[in-house]
């Protein structure tokens, strides 16, 4: 995914959409800068997807600390533990830090 995910976007959706003070991030997959799928283990693909979310957020002037909800679509229920381990789970802006709301 390019440094600015809106540059050269060939997908048929926007990486993000701003509505007032809210930013909605589209689903991200394990793709490289050219938009090609990068296969790997479940954990590697999850990390790459989260890295792509970071890039989309950065283009909007945000970080993962600004995330309030994560939807993860996982076919294999046994992978839910890996999803939790691979997903950034705390927001440093709250005290004590709390995980974002999630749907898996």
């Amino acid at each position: 995914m390019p440094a600015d995910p809106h540059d050269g976007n060939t997908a048929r959706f926007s990486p993000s959409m701003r509505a007032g003070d809210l930013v909605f991030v589209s689903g991200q997959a394990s793709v490289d800068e050219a938009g090609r799928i990068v296969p790997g283990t479940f954990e590697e693909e999850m990390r790459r997807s989260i890295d792509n979310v970071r890039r989309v957020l950065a283009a909007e002037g945000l970080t993962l600390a600004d995330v309030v909800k994560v939807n993860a679509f996982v076919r294999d229920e046994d992978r839910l533990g890996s999803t939790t381990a691979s997903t950034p789970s705390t927001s440093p802006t709250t005290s004590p830090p709390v995980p974002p709301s999630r749907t898996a």
Side-chain angles (χ1 to χ4, degrees), residues 7-8 11-12 17 19 25-27 37 41-42 49 53 55 62 72 74-75 82 90-91 103:
D7 285 349
R12 294 183 181 190
M17 178 67 73
V25 176
S26 298
I37 296 290
T41 65
F42 179 84
S49 297
V53 168
R55 286 192 232 343
L62 302 169
V74 181
R75 285 189 281 173
S82 295
T90 59
S91 171
T103 302

Side-chain angles (χ1 to χ4, degrees), residues 1 6 11 14-15 31 37 39 44-45 55 59 76 81 89:
M1 174 170 281
H6 295 278
S14 296
V31 298
I37 296 290
E44 290 167 340
E45 290 184 19
R55 286 192 232 343
D76 183 351
S89 60

Side-chain angles (χ1 to χ4, degrees), residues 65-87:
D66 297 299
V67 172
V68 296
K69 182 161 177 50
V70 174
N71 291 329
F73 299 97
V74 181
R75 285 189 281 173
D76 183 351
E77 202 172 310
D78 293 335
R79 297 289 191 180
L80 290 178
S82 295
T83 302
T84 300
S86 300
T87 305

Side-chain angles (χ1 to χ4, degrees), residues 20-45:
D21 291 338
L22 300 176
V23 174
F24 297 88
V25 176
S26 298
Q28 300 297 309
S30 179
V31 298
D32 65 14
E33 292 77 13
R36 294 180 300 251
I37 296 290
V38 178
T41 65
F42 179 84
E43 291 77 11
E44 290 167 340
E45 290 184 19

